[in-house]
Amino acid sequence: MSSPLIPVVVAIDGPAGSGKSSVSKEVAKRLGYGFLDTGAAYRALAWHVQASGIDTDDAASVVSSLASFDYRIGTDPAGYAVHVGDVDVTAAIRDPAISAVVSRVARVPEVRTHLIELFRSLMADEPRPGVVVEGRDITTVVAPDAPVRILLTASAEVRASRRSAELVGSTSSTVGDELRRRDEADSKVVDFMSAAEGVTTVDSTELDFEQTVDAVIDVIRFTQPVTD
């Protein structure tokens, strides 16, 4: 009896504004891999908690909300939907109000344990030959045994500049303050600013988008030969 096909896992970590999501999606498209946005799950849970009338600062209540958190997400890098129950929350979870509170639910240990198991299940069920998984603790906690592990980073100034260019009406300094607050909050839970042993760093400070995508694919091809 033949063994089931196990998808190649490409784990990508990095701080806010490093380009993890856009770069990971493009890499997945070019390689014919799936794409898993782990941050969407934390955002969706924050949405679910608020929709349920629960205080995001009440850790015990946040944990209790996991029982009713019916979460689904697609892995098509060309476009995927996020659902909580029958509700499509793909757009809602990107609202600034959700961004402002997502760290509060993400820092709860029981939440992270629950969602990490969910991520591993989604990775194992990926029908494509590989899956690019991006987030904050992917290389060290979610998929520490992945054959390809990458820390994608850039200077704080460049990250702020890139993020402000995406947000209409936002200045680089304002976005920079927001990124610093987000990094500080999340760094209390996971270390995503320095590469763990065996993790390759791709610094995109001096690279444009295409060059960054190429650099990541080069790491993947060197570590895990890809058949076109």
Side-chain angles (χ1 to χ4, degrees):
M1 183 174 65
S2 61
S3 299
L5 178 64
I6 299 175
V8 172
V9 175
V10 178
I12 299 183
D13 279 334
S18 63
K20 296 189 308 296
S21 181
S22 56
V23 169
S24 295
K25 285 180 188 175
E26 185 60 26
V27 167
K29 287 179 187 177
R30 295 189 187 182
L31 298 181
Y33 284 6
F35 165 72
L36 180 58
D37 173 3
T38 63
Y42 291 101
R43 287 175 172 273
L45 179 59
W47 178 91
H48 175 62
V49 167
Q50 289 197 327
S52 301
I54 295 171
D55 182 354
T56 52
D57 284 324
D58 183 351
S61 294
V62 169
V63 171
S64 69
S65 74
L66 290 171
S68 58
F69 183 49
D70 179 17
Y71 178 74
R72 303 190 311 282
I73 186 172
T75 58
D76 184 348
Y80 59 92
V82 180
H83 287 83
V84 176
D86 294 329
V87 183
D88 185 332
V89 297
T90 310
I93 63 174
R94 302 299 169 182
D95 188 280
I98 296 299
S99 299
V101 299
V102 66
S103 291
R104 299 178 191 173
V105 301
R107 69 190 177 195
V108 179
E110 293 88 345
V111 165
R112 303 193 74 82
T113 298
H114 181 88
L115 293 186
I116 286 168
E117 290 306 313
L118 172 62
F119 300 150
R120 289 173 177 167
S121 176
L122 290 169
M123 288 156 50
D125 291 340
E126 174 57 49
R128 300 171 183 83
V131 57
V132 180
V133 186
E134 64 95 355
R136 287 300 184 95
D137 54 2
I138 311 305
T139 65
T140 55
V141 179
V142 177
D145 297 323
V148 185
R149 295 185 297 153
I150 296 171
L151 174 68
L152 180 60
T153 188
S155 70
E157 294 76 17
V158 167
R159 290 192 288 121
S161 177
R162 290 173 180 169
R163 181 59 65 87
S164 64
E166 299 172 355
L167 302 175
V168 178
S170 297
T171 65
S172 183
S173 60
T174 299
V175 173
D177 290 339
E178 178 187 338
L179 290 181
R180 278 190 290 275
R181 286 194 295 270
R182 174 88 181 275
D183 287 345
E184 288 172 1
D186 289 351
S187 65
K188 295 176 182 178
V189 181
V190 296
D191 179 10
F192 52 85
M193 298 297 285
S194 56
E197 183 177 355
V199 176
T200 301
T201 298
V202 174
D203 188 332
S204 69
T205 301
E206 303 294 334
L207 305 177
D208 62 22
F209 178 75
E210 289 295 327
Q211 290 171 327
T212 305
V213 170
D214 288 342
V216 169
I217 290 178
D218 284 345
V219 173
I220 296 171
R221 290 187 183 279
F222 178 78
T223 310
Q224 184 75 30
V226 178
T227 302
D228 292 320

